[in-house]
Amino acid sequence: MTEVYILSGFLGSGKTSLLAGLIRQAKEMGLKPGVIMNELGELAFDSDAVEDDVPLKEILNGCICCTGAEKTESQMQSLLHENVDIIFIETTGAAHPVEVLDAVHSPLFGDQLAVKGIVTVADGRRYLSADGMSPQVRMLFLEQIRHAGFILLNKSDLLTDSEKSEAVMGIQSLNPVAQIVETVDSKIPLAALRGMEQQPSTTPVRQAGIGSHLPIGTQLVTFTEPVDRDAFEDWIRSLPGTVYRMKGYVPLKGSKYPSLFQYAYGMVQWIPEYMNMPANLVLIGEGLSGIHVPGARR
């Protein structure tokens, strides 16, 4: 399994410094790292932080969660073909971590990945002054913290002891389960991140690994038999609101090949396929262990 870490955090928080340090440590451990770097603009201004011998894939001119899953899947597959041991994904400061998590998981290669979780870099001073942000920007900033499995309170050297305490307490109120570490220049041992626990497999269903402390988890399931489309959609309507996203290839009765299936925010989409795609489905949400997908292996 190739380990995957999503590096999240608002603009200027220190994600690129974190990335450079993690790449160096991975190489010192004898691991081959690969990088996906996402930039909102057309130029990869931060790509210089990645050494020439490290496989680098870029997603430019848009957020990874807006540019389409196809591009992300292509970049992930390219890195897997280069036999990397560990993948770091540096997101844009405008990326919502849940949407990035959605873009990374693919039924095409989900069983090859151990997505360890979301690592959020939070600028301490920016956090303390978050009330001055516009409501939309502030919500994104707080969401990046809320959905992290590991949080770096960065630039802590610029804070007084009382400010550090205020920031830590505030962050803990947003995300009481993530580990919070005060850092300068985003320096953190890679070993600390590798210690993020993966979700225990409570059923024989194959699962893509996600940090057990994250409020959001994933499951990768494989269909063993075709399903009736109407009955499958009835099952979808019975799902709790904590199932946020599903995507994959669902074999339907009467169809030669599995159909591409997408589910988000209560809406479904079916697209016929004309080749034999893997009958896998990825679920993203909370409390997935008790959900059984009709026609899928338990």
Side-chain angles (χ1 to χ4, degrees):
M1 302 284 281
T2 300
E3 296 181 11
V4 180
Y5 298 84
I6 298 170
L7 310 184
S8 178
F10 202 66
L11 300 165
S13 58
K15 294 190 300 297
T16 303
S17 297
L18 172 63
L19 173 64
L22 294 179
I23 290 173
R24 175 184 53 77
Q25 294 180 66
K27 294 169 72 173
E28 290 173 353
M29 292 179 177
L31 301 173
K32 181 179 180 180
V35 174
I36 292 179
M37 185 168 286
N38 182 206
E39 297 273 12
L40 284 175
E42 296 183 6
L43 299 176
F45 292 105
D46 293 333
S47 60
D48 290 343
V50 181
E51 299 173 13
D52 292 339
D53 61 341
V54 175
L56 169 66
K57 308 299 177 183
E58 297 169 341
I59 299 177
L60 305 178
N61 203 24
C63 174
I64 196 172
C65 49
C66 306
T67 54
E70 296 83 2
K71 184 177 293 186
T72 306
E73 286 180 352
S74 174
Q75 303 290 44
M76 292 290 288
Q77 283 185 308
S78 295
L79 288 179
L80 289 173
H81 288 155
E82 296 193 46
N83 297 316
V84 298
D85 302 305
I86 188 167
I87 297 174
F88 301 112
I89 302 175
E90 182 186 343
T91 67
T92 73
H96 191 296
V98 176
E99 298 293 340
V100 175
L101 191 64
D102 175 28
V104 168
H105 282 285
S106 168
L108 296 177
F109 48 75
D111 54 354
Q112 301 177 50
L113 303 178
V115 183
K116 299 287 281 187
I118 297 168
V119 181
T120 292
V121 185
D123 181 328
R125 282 209 175 279
R126 190 181 294 275
Y127 173 79
L128 294 175
S129 61
D131 287 342
M133 297 177 173
S134 67
Q136 184 177 9
V137 171
R138 181 176 183 273
M139 180 176 292
L140 172 62
F141 179 66
L142 299 181
E143 284 287 283
Q144 291 170 341
I145 293 172
R146 184 175 288 117
H147 293 289
F150 200 104
I151 299 171
L152 277 61
L153 179 60
N154 199 34
K155 306 181 184 180
S156 61
D157 56 324
L158 304 179
L159 303 177
T160 65
D161 289 343
S162 61
E163 287 173 332
K164 290 178 186 177
S165 298
E166 180 183 352
V168 169
M169 291 179 62
I171 290 172
Q172 285 178 333
S173 69
L174 284 170
N175 187 337
V177 294
Q179 183 174 351
I180 305 171
V181 177
E182 298 175 11
T183 59
V184 177
D185 297 328
S186 301
K187 293 180 179 178
I188 188 76
L190 174 56
L193 303 186
R194 299 189 81 192
M196 296 170 70
E197 293 294 329
Q198 295 184 350
Q199 248 183 1
S201 180
T202 55
T203 70
V205 172
R206 289 184 296 162
Q207 292 185 329
I210 252 297
S212 63
H213 297 307
L214 283 175
I216 298 173
T218 65
Q219 278 191 350
L220 174 71
V221 300
T222 300
F223 289 91
T224 58
E225 60 186 15
V227 299
D228 178 79
R229 175 168 169 169
D230 290 339
F232 194 78
E233 291 188 357
D234 286 341
W235 169 76
I236 292 168
R237 284 188 281 271
S238 73
L239 290 173
T242 51
V243 178
Y244 305 132
R245 187 81 162 89
M246 289 186 286
K247 59 181 179 179
Y249 298 95
V250 179
L252 297 175
K253 291 180 178 179
S255 297
K256 183 177 181 180
Y257 302 117
S259 293
L260 175 62
F261 172 77
Q262 302 268 3
Y263 168 87
Y265 310 109
M267 303 295 291
V268 301
Q269 180 184 36
W270 298 91
I271 300 176
E273 284 287 343
Y274 300 98
M275 61 181 66
N276 195 22
M277 304 300 290
N280 295 333
L281 183 69
V282 174
L283 292 80
I284 300 177
E286 300 177 47
L288 299 177
S289 60
I291 294 176
H292 170 58
V293 180
R297 183 184 301 133
R298 289 187 67 90

